[in-house]
Amino acid sequence: METSLSIDDPVKSFVRNNPQCAKVFEELNIDFCCGGDASLLTACEEENLEPREVYQRLVELQSAPSASDQDVSGLTPTELTEHLESTHHVYLKQALPRLTMLMDKVHQAHSSRHPELTRLQTVVESLRADLEPHLLKEEQILFPLIRQLEAESPGSRLEPAQGPIRVMRSEHDGAGELLKEMRTLTNSYAVPEDGCQSFQLLYDGLKELEEDTHLHIHKENNMLFPHH
Ligand SMILES: [Fe+2]
Ligand SMILES: [Fe+2]
């Protein structure tokens, strides 16, 4: 933990310090939003959790490496497919369900005063509905094909992958359009004055989704696909 937060500090300070902590609190049913003033110790006692263990998990989050830190320029196509699956795909499979749930919560609480949340909810759902099957198509069809072609004939441009690549590129364009609309609807992820902590978490999460997906698509369109 970058600051000197202890188990006597309020739950909300942990989330403010590192939004990733929210995922742990959600999982453990610790209320960091409206009950965020309670100390970590008190909140854990209320849920019959071992405070030291929870604190340790929060500390470990701080040192988890992020996909965006890795230099992938020297990877072979096979290594690149493995990198994509173990970072960006893992991230999306975890982030998309979490963000759609958080989106529903914020929509329910705030859509009367923020009608733009209704369209945002549709956009987030569409992203999930498009990206989840997209990941599977890459993992089950395109990436194994790329690995097979590279094993048979390293370094050559091979026709058989062109069809699936065309489909993936067009799906990337669709996701890119939805991300663009998401940015417009959220006013570049600016939380309104009256937004609560869930609102902030949602916008932080959507911003992270945008950044990660842009990088993900870049690696596929501009680094992986040109090899084929
Ligand atoms: Fe991908
Ligand atoms: Fe993709």
Side-chain angles (χ1 to χ4, degrees), residues 140-154:
Q140 293 172 2
I141 300 165
L142 180 59
F143 290 177
L145 179 60
I146 286 175
R147 291 194 276 257
Q148 186 203 328
L149 293 172
E150 200 195 1
E152 287 168 359
S153 173

Side-chain angles (χ1 to χ4, degrees), residues 89 134-135 138 143 216 220:
H89 286 211
H134 175 83
L135 299 176
E138 289 178 341
F143 290 177
H216 178 178
E220 290 175 355

Side-chain angles (χ1 to χ4, degrees), residues 70-75 80 83 219 223:
Q70 292 175 37
D71 178 15
V72 295
S73 53
L75 300 186
L80 203 45
H83 162 80
K219 287 175 185 171
M223 300 178 80

